[in-house]
Amino acid sequence: MAELLLRCLALALLLAGAETLHGMARLRWLVPRLGGRWAQRLSTVSGSMLAFLLIALALPSLPLPSLPLPSSTSLLLLGLALAAFMAAYDAALGRWVFHRSWRSVLQDFNPAHGNLLLLGVIVLSLSPLLASTLRRAL
């Protein structure tokens, strides 16, 4: 069980690092060309694809219960744990590194204001199950 927790934490930290670099690239190259709103929307799609790819690559190394075919429940729990970690990471980064108000941080998750971060979190929560299903189909 400890090995599973450590590997899941390592995956979460890998995702956080990749997403941080992805966000820096967005600010450097996309925002000046597309503007903040469009850059943010495009990066939700590309960030979701990046996270899916990293999860698909890491999934076989995770000692999930009922391997070699992990159950849908364990894959959904992994996805929910990763999504919760990344949502908390994003909120913490916005609040304490970028000194944004909680209201501003939470607006990033509000699709009613055109923000797609909540959609990215939902895709992230489903990514382990989708990656496993795709791996089995191939």
Side-chain angles (χ1 to χ4, degrees):
M1 183 62 149
E3 180 184 358
L4 174 61
L5 291 175
L6 284 174
R7 287 186 187 222
C8 290
L9 179 61
L11 177 56
L13 292 174
L14 175 68
L15 288 172
E19 189 54 40
T20 299
L21 293 174
H22 180 260
M24 292 166 65
R26 179 188 76 219
L27 291 173
R28 172 85 167 118
W29 291 299
L30 288 181
V31 170
R33 288 167 178 77
L34 301 176
R37 173 82 61 203
W38 283 104
Q40 188 178 32
R41 289 178 179 169
L42 180 61
S43 70
T44 299
V45 174
S46 60
S48 294
M49 291 173 21
L50 176 63
F52 178 81
L53 177 65
L54 291 173
I55 289 169
L57 292 172
L59 200 56
S61 70
L62 293 176
L64 294 172
S66 69
L67 276 175
L69 297 175
S71 71
S72 296
T73 303
S74 63
L75 291 166
L76 284 173
L77 287 173
L78 172 62
L80 289 171
L82 291 172
F85 176 86
M86 288 306 298
Y89 175 78
D90 188 72
L93 200 64
R95 179 68 180 117
W96 291 301
V97 174
F98 295 110
H99 306 290
R100 296 172 58 204
S101 68
W102 281 116
R103 183 179 184 149
S104 174
V105 167
L106 294 176
Q107 284 290 24
D108 287 346
F109 294 91
N110 188 347
H113 290 274
N115 298 321
L116 301 178
L117 190 55
L118 181 60
L119 176 63
V121 170
I122 292 168
V123 169
L124 179 59
S125 67
L126 296 173
S127 288
L129 180 60
L130 295 172
S132 178
T133 302
L134 182 62
R135 184 176 292 276
R136 280 186 235 158
L138 299 176

